[in-house]
Amino acid sequence: MTDPSMNLLYKRHVDLLKNVLLNEFGAENGLRIAYLLYCMDTSQPYDLDKVINIHRHQADKVEALRQDPDGQNNYRERMFGFPYTMIGRARLDSLQAMVETVLRENISGDFLEAGVWRGGASIFMRAMLELWEDSDRKVYVADSFQGLPPPLLLQDENLNFHLDPTLSVGIDVVKGHFARFGLLDDRVKFMPGWFEDTLRASEPSQLAILRADGDLYKSTMDILDALYDRVTPGGFVIIDDYGAIPACRLAVEDFRRAHGIDQPIHTIDWTGAYWRA
């Protein structure tokens, strides 16, 4: 397999792909929608000039969005901008490095993301396989496609993510996003349903990258319990909410302790972390 990563066109293609997945070119659209919703809620007429020239009327907020590439702040406006992923630039950069390492070192196994939202990170991994002309690996896309479950364990108390409608994205919508990028094919395998019910299926048998974005203690533990033994030596385990959600971090720490895992955990940004199996 030829390593394309030093090619200038490759670098530009990957960077443009990240721009689109994160909606960095249209981040201010979230501010436009937030402004229009405010007008609706308060029964105020909207100012068309404010909608068109939001960058001038809310310059400070536009700049705040542009200075927040990793999604730590401005959650509401960012989501109204409709990116394909909310994981931010640093976690996409890190994911790129992991995919390239796996392909460069020929670490066996497929890629799986558990908790995909609008599918952006999974789309990115599938696109990277295309760029590297890897015709063998598959990308597994695991999600309930109906949002998060309600908190059932004490460790998840008050984590009511199931009440957030922006986190519920149907499977047909996610498939449509793959299709927009020309990447919906038989090498993208969807696993719809709650993790406790779906992730113990016999496939995939080996994983080179496991990306866990379950938010809750239970969801994170369900992912690791079902799939960690399938991660091949040298493969990557990514925990998206390790820094942001204490319940997720606790699940990781409890799992690693119970299984005697002592590989060091590396932080990616304010919330993402990973280790190599």
Side-chain angles (χ1 to χ4, degrees), residues 30-31 33-35 37-38 41 65 73-81:
L31 295 173
I33 294 174
Y35 167 68
L37 288 175
Y38 169 79
D41 290 342
L65 280 174
N73 304 302
N74 307 296
Y75 171 81
R76 182 169 177 266
E77 289 81 5
R78 186 174 297 279
M79 293 307 99
F80 285 153

Side-chain angles (χ1 to χ4, degrees), residues 35-94:
Y35 167 68
L36 291 171
L37 288 175
Y38 169 79
C39 291
M40 291 174 59
D41 290 342
T42 59
S43 299
Q44 295 184 21
Y46 68 87
D47 183 333
L48 183 59
D49 186 65
K50 286 185 178 180
V51 176
I52 295 173
N53 297 304
I54 195 76
H55 59 282
R56 176 159 48 83
H57 290 277
Q58 297 190 33
D60 57 334
K61 291 187 177 181
V62 171
E63 186 61 22
L65 280 174
R66 290 175 177 169
Q67 294 300 318
D68 184 30
D70 298 321
Q72 186 170 6
N73 304 302
N74 307 296
Y75 171 81
R76 182 169 177 266
E77 289 81 5
R78 186 174 297 279
M79 293 307 99
F80 285 153
F82 298 106
Y84 291 93
T85 177
M86 66 175 87
I87 72 173
R89 172 65 72 147
R91 275 167 281 164
L92 269 184
D93 289 345
S94 176

Side-chain angles (χ1 to χ4, degrees), residues 105-175:
E105 297 181 6
N106 198 27
I107 297 168
S108 60
D110 297 310
F111 301 160
L112 185 148
E113 183 179 30
V116 306
W117 194 48
R118 294 176 179 156
S122 294
I123 291 169
F124 183 76
M125 291 191 289
R126 179 64 186 86
M128 291 292 291
L129 293 179
E130 195 83 358
L131 289 170
W132 278 71
E133 298 182 344
D134 183 307
S135 58
D136 297 322
R137 299 178 199 263
K138 298 180 178 66
V139 174
Y140 287 81
V141 184
D143 200 287
S144 72
F145 299 103
Q146 53 183 306
L148 275 75
L152 300 176
L153 302 180
L154 181 62
Q155 296 93 325
D156 291 323
E157 188 175 13
N158 297 321
L159 294 179
N160 295 312
F161 299 126
H162 65 293
L163 300 178
D164 186 348
T166 66
L167 300 178
S168 179
V169 183
I171 189 171
D172 289 339
V173 174
V174 178
K175 286 182 177 181

Side-chain angles (χ1 to χ4, degrees), residues 165-198:
T166 66
L167 300 178
S168 179
V169 183
I171 189 171
D172 289 339
V173 174
V174 178
K175 286 182 177 181
H177 293 166
F178 272 89
R180 285 183 190 178
F181 288 85
L183 297 171
L184 183 64
D185 59 17
D186 59 3
R187 292 173 56 207
V188 180
K189 303 296 183 180
F190 288 85
M191 303 177 72
W194 302 117
F195 296 151
E196 62 184 330
D197 299 324
T198 62

